[in-house]
Each structure stands twice: as structure tokens, then as C-alpha cells.
Amino acid sequence: MRKVLYIAFFCTTSFNLVAQDIHFSQFFNTPIQTNPGNTGFHDEQYRFAANQRVQYRSISGNPYNTFAISADGNNIPKLGKLNAGVDFLHDITGDSHYRTIAANLNLAYSIWESADTSHKVQAGLGIGFTQQRFSLDDLTWNNQYNGISYDPNLPSNENFTRQKLAYMNLSAGLSYQGNLSPEWWLEGGLAAFNLLGPQQNFDALKSNLERRFHLFGRAQYQINPLWYLQPAISLMHQGPYNEIISGASVKYVLKDDRGIYTALYGGTYYRLKDAGYLKFGADYNQWHAAISYDFNLSNLKPASSYRGGWEIAVIYKFTPFVYKDIPHKVCPSYMK
């Protein structure tokens, strides 16, 4: 019975099984969570991102809900060439109300740049703190069935030494961005998470959180001045589990004139042996927003009726305007 409960605890998405990390389908819209090497790796000085995922509402009265926010920047005053960022994640799942709260500080530094600055590589490090807890109030157990019906007064015979835990963790990664040609732009990277292998158990049984490795890549090909193709791929490995996501979006530029930029996105992606999902998005100047929906294609589809979950992402990038006080010489009287 305890094994069944652990599976219920850690099934936080359609792929996340026992003692696995939480993640998003739109990995390209969660830059710091995807790789600490992405910290400050953008064309503006500051970037803010917010993401929310709600899954399996069709199965559970308590759907799995994940929310994340992050902020990062480059050329931050007094930090020199060091980029910095922070991210916060809150996840709650199932009838046990299994809650995960994580906060991370991310630092990145440019380790290589081509002479024409068209190719760049960054290294990043993430230092984080995670707290997890659950409640037994809404759970039922096999031992509470008397042979005819469920009796909540019967003992569950389940013993837990604690219902919450906390641990420190480390992550590291390398990220690349470059223009391969006037038409091709590419970004990608490799990251490793849970480098400390923290303990994640609520009883005497030891359960280490497996290290997770994430290789990702995304490209943009300019078909013509208005149309762009954006293929992407994500490969993850954690313990005995693997995840492969591949797909592409098409971008159409509505306006790029006089300081106003607007574009629309549409795409489809597939998570191997698990789900397919559609993504739609839009740009408006420094804002990017996207929404996606997962269609469950795994063995869970008889219960889910192919329904998965919604995911929303919003990103805002900007560079503060700095007013420069330029001294003016006083013109001589004969020039007036």
C-alpha cells in the first residue's frame, strides 16, 4: 500500500513518476528552469517569466496545479559580466495535497564569444531550497474496507515518521546561442539537476532524488520576411525514465515598423508515448504569451478521455531607459 501512495504522491504530470522532477511542456518558455546557463542569455537587460500548468481535471477532483515565476538579467549594475536570476515554483497534486515549493538562485557567466559576437556560450549554476509536504486527511486505504464498505474509523496501519521535508540542491548547465547564417538562428544546451542527490523519503526507507539530465535545442529559419519556422527538441533522462519531446511552430510577423512589433505563433509537439499538444502564441513588442493544451495518448487515456491539461506562459523583456545629462556649451553672444 505504501508503494501505491508514493506513486500517487509523485505523479505530478503525465510523465513524472516516482521521485521525478516537475517540468512544463513549453520548455522553451521556462528558460531558467530548463537550464541555469540560460540566466541572462537574452537580448534585453531584464526578463520576467510566469508559467502555469493545470492537468488531469477530468480524472481528479484535485487537479495537478503547477505555477512558476522567474526573473533574470544581464549587465546588472555592480555584477560586471556575471548574470543573475531567481525562480520560484509551487506545485500541488492529488488527494494527498502533495505540495512542492522550490526557490533557486541562478548565476551565469559568458565563457566564450566569437570575434563577431554571432556565437556565444554561457555556463550557469543554480543553488536551491525545496520543501515538500502532504496531508493524510483525504486519503483512503485498503485496510479501511471491512469487506462490504469503506469505514473511515478503521485504522489504516500506515506509519510515517514525518509529513514534510526540506533539502538543498544544485544544478549546472551550458547554453549556446548563435547565428549559423542570415536565415538560421540556433540555441541549445545541456543541464544537470539534483547534483546533491537529496533524500526524499517520509519513512525509514531511503529514497534519493535521481539526477536529471536535460539536452534541448531550438532553431529559427527565416522562410521570407514574414514567415519563420521554429523546430524544437527536448531530451530528458532521470533514473530509469526518459522523455523525448519534438515539434515545431510557425511564426507570422504582422507588423515590424516604427518601433511596433507584433507576431502570431502556431505549432504542434509530441511527447513520446505520452501526449501530443498544440501551442498558440503572440508577440507584442517586448511581450510574449503562449497557451498550449496536452492531449493524453498514454495508457491513461481510457480514464482521461484523451484530455490532458492547459499550460500558459507569459514572458516580458525590457531594458530600462537611462537618461543621460549631456552638458551644453553656452553659445557666445556674437553667435546669437
Side-chain angles (χ1 to χ4, degrees), residues 172-186:
L174 290 173
S175 293
Y176 163 83
Q177 289 183 2
N179 293 305
L180 304 182
S181 70
E183 295 82 18
W184 278 102
W185 171 86
L186 176 67

Side-chain angles (χ1 to χ4, degrees), residues 213-327:
F213 300 94
H214 189 184
L215 177 66
F216 77 98
R218 184 172 64 139
Q220 178 171 276
Y221 175 70
Q222 184 176 1
I223 302 171
N224 58 48
L226 298 180
W227 289 94
Y228 296 79
L229 178 64
Q230 297 179 326
I233 188 168
S234 170
L235 308 173
M236 278 203 288
H237 171 76
Q238 186 173 15
Y241 304 105
N242 297 288
E243 180 193 73
I244 301 175
I245 299 175
S246 61
S249 291
V250 174
K251 180 173 87 169
Y252 176 71
V253 178
L254 294 173
K255 185 174 184 179
D256 186 8
D257 185 39
R258 299 179 183 180
I260 298 178
Y261 183 83
T262 56
L264 297 177
Y265 297 79
T268 179
Y269 298 83
Y270 176 63
R271 186 162 50 241
L272 186 63
K273 298 181 180 180
D274 181 59
Y277 58 97
L278 301 175
K279 189 207 89 171
F280 300 96
D283 287 338
Y284 179 73
N285 294 338
Q286 293 96 343
W287 289 91
H288 174 74
I291 185 170
S292 62
Y293 186 79
D294 288 23
F295 296 92
N296 180 250
L297 303 175
S298 70
N299 294 333
L300 192 61
K301 61 188 178 185
S304 67
S305 299
Y306 294 93
R307 288 177 288 178
W310 292 98
E311 190 173 307
I312 299 173
V314 178
I315 297 176
Y316 176 63
K317 298 186 291 184
F318 74 100
T319 299
F321 174 77
V322 179
Y323 174 77
K324 294 183 179 181
D325 186 10
I326 303 175

Side-chain angles (χ1 to χ4, degrees), residues 60-75:
S60 172
N62 296 296
Y64 300 168
N65 195 326
T66 308
F67 176 74
I69 56 174
S70 66
D72 66 311
N74 55 60
N75 296 318

